[in-house]
Amino acid sequence: MADEIKAVPTVVIPVDPQQPQADIIERAASLLRAGELVVFPTETVYGLGGDALREEAARRIFAAKGRPFTDPLIVHIAQIEELETVAAAVPERARRLAEVFWPGPLTLILPRGRRVPTLVTAGLETVAVRMPSHPVARALIRAAGRPIAAPSANRFKHVSPTTAQHALADLGGRVPLILDGGPTPVGVESTVVDVAAPAPRILRPGGTSLEALREVLPEIEPPLPPQTTASNDPESEEGPAQRSPGQLLVHYSPIVPLLLFEGEDEAQRKALVAEALRRLGRGERVGILAAVEDREALRPCEERGVLVRAPASLEEPEKVAAALFATLRALEEAGVNVILCRSFRPVGLGLAVQDRLRRAAGGRIIQVDPSADAAEGVR
Ligand code: AMP
Ligand code: MG
């Protein structure tokens, strides 16, 4: 784990998300050029950026997040020419994906260029590279004049930030500057694709859908189910599986426990209501994350004090993704003891939503049985 850091005052500066003001961008870029850190909006989530070619900046990133050095960072570029600086080679299929999906929420795993310190790649001979589309991110990387390493701007294991306020809550006192460009539009992290492997595979589902990727590379493999053990060790018995390092099952965890219900819709609703009422009866404060379609069924819970958040419809996975992390944080901040959560279909961005919720549940997944009146209670 990275060492403790000295407290610094954090300044939050609002910036126009469409036409970022040049003087604000320059102020942030000069910090990056000096090896300091800046939190900035991307189209996925807020990033904690530092000079990707300077080991000392990477060290600061790990320290500010409290992130272990085994978890590699994504390197962000503003123009395609910078790819030659950070990657030693760019396979043909990587170029095809980049042409279609960059700038945008897609990260490609490529052979590491020699100028990228191995601290950035957690000792790997590959590097994760992405070209973000958010105007603030693009302007900042361009003005800094160098590739920027940027993981999500949250404390290690917490939910990724989709607003500057989320980033401030996690990293206030640990970074000098946060650029506030409002809520991030995509709301989940980028899709990570390993294009170096013989069979290209999604390592982490995210803001670019499997369906869209397959239109360009039909042979692309879906992600493997999340690891259930905490081992990132390539020598472990599992072997160097095609999993993204740092993708532990509990990677995205809200501070309060989350129980995820899976199964047929009506059975999920019944099970959510039964579990919420059972816990209310024990004096717990219960939050529910649901879909617009569940509202009616959940009204009896709501009337008895359960906090129900239903940010979007089951038919709109993009809206669910955009609201997901902010909703988890809002339930946390409301002081609930537990979050009961419905599942969303793994279609389009729903695949990323499913992945983040399963990780947030950390194994607490309840399969509901449509024939039963209500799910078995969970202890
Ligand atoms: P985040 O910190 O949220 O930006 O997530 C970065 C993720 O990118 C890591 O957790 C890894 O899963 C993935 N990643 C970064 N570098 C590599 C790499 N060289 N090989 C495979 N996955 C990587
Ligand atoms: Mg992260």
Side-chain angles (χ1 to χ4, degrees):
M1 187 75 67
D3 14 284
E4 266 313 300
I5 56 159
K6 263 207 336 253
V8 289
T10 301
V11 179
V12 181
I13 304 184
V15 60
D16 187 319
Q18 292 312 323
Q19 285 161 327
Q21 298 85 335
D23 56 327
I24 298 173
I25 292 299
E26 184 41 41
R27 178 168 168 181
S30 68
L31 279 171
L32 291 172
R33 286 194 298 266
E36 299 287 342
L37 307 185
V38 174
V39 171
F40 61 96
T42 80
E43 70 277 21
T44 59
V45 300
Y46 274 73
L48 170 61
D51 186 338
L53 304 182
R54 237 159 112 170
E55 189 175 299
E56 120 208 33
R59 201 171 288 283
R60 287 199 166 119
I61 292 176
F62 285 101
K65 280 186 66 103
R67 175 163 169 150
F69 292 121
T70 48
D71 205 350
L73 309 177
I74 295 175
V75 174
H76 294 68
I77 59 175
Q79 38 220 356
I80 203 79
E81 298 76 58
E82 286 174 300
L83 202 46
E84 318 301 327
T85 311
V86 297
V90 184
E92 170 54 26
R93 58 186 174 205
R95 282 202 193 278
R96 274 165 54 209
L97 291 177
E99 256 167 42
V100 176
F101 296 104
W102 282 1
L106 176 68
T107 296
L108 300 173
I109 306 300
L110 298 165
R112 178 179 68 89
R114 288 230 307 277
R115 290 181 63 197
V116 179
T118 50
L119 190 65
V120 168
T121 65
L124 297 171
E125 281 310 317
T126 52
V127 62
V129 188
R130 163 168 122 79
M131 189 193 288
S133 65
H134 195 293
V136 173
R138 288 173 69 76
L140 180 61
I141 301 164
R142 209 179 280 261
R146 63 206 66 205
I148 299 299
S152 50
N154 52 284
R155 291 295 285 271
F156 179 58
K157 283 193 176 176
H158 200 198
V159 175
S160 291
T162 56
T163 67
Q165 290 67 39
H166 298 159
L168 182 64
D170 276 23
L171 299 178
R174 305 175 78 88
V175 293
L177 177 62
I178 297 177
L179 295 181
D180 181 355
T184 58
V186 177
V188 288
E189 301 86 344
S190 61
T191 300
V192 179
V193 175
D194 187 356
V195 274
R201 178 186 291 282
I202 293 185
L203 299 181
R204 170 179 79 179
T208 301
S209 72
L210 173 62
E211 296 88 335
L213 287 165
R214 279 197 167 148
E215 279 180 28
V216 180
L217 276 192
E219 70 271 28
I220 206 155
E221 300 276 352
L224 295 168
Q227 259 168 288
T228 47
T229 62
S231 172
N232 271 341
D233 177 3
E235 315 286 352
S236 82
E237 276 174 22
E238 281 178 274
Q242 273 190 334
R243 290 194 170 99
S244 221
Q247 285 286 88
L248 304 182
L249 183 62
V250 292
H251 196 83
Y252 305 87
S253 33
I255 287 159
V256 295
L258 181 144
L259 304 186
L260 179 62
F261 291 74
E262 294 191 346
E264 188 266 323
D265 277 344
E266 209 42 54
Q268 279 196 56
R269 290 180 190 122
K270 278 189 183 155
L272 282 168
V273 171
E275 184 66 17
L277 295 180
R278 199 173 70 81
R279 285 175 178 265
L280 269 190
R282 292 203 312 223
E284 289 185 38
R285 300 192 60 187
V286 182
I288 295 185
L289 195 164
V292 169
E293 289 86 340
D294 305 322
R295 271 237 110 101
E296 202 49 46
L298 297 177
R299 208 166 304 279
C301 296
E302 227 175 339
E303 281 162 4
R304 293 176 60 181
V306 172
L307 211 56
V308 176
R309 290 282 175 276
S313 155
L314 290 172
E315 306 305 320
E316 296 177 306
E318 279 163 26
K319 283 198 183 158
V320 177
L324 183 68
F325 292 152
T327 307
L328 289 175
R329 282 195 185 239
L331 287 170
E332 244 177 51
E333 278 158 24
V336 299
N337 307 116
V338 65
I339 298 171
L340 308 181
C341 183
R342 76 118 61 235
S343 52
F344 295 86
R345 286 182 263 286
V347 174
L349 291 208
L351 184 64
V353 170
Q354 181 190 64
D355 172 80
R356 302 308 186 271
L357 287 176
R358 285 183 172 171
R359 288 176 202 282
R364 290 176 293 254
I365 299 175
I366 298 135
Q367 293 296 335
V368 293
D369 174 359
S371 64
D373 240 358
E376 277 288 294
V378 193
R379 274 150 289 269

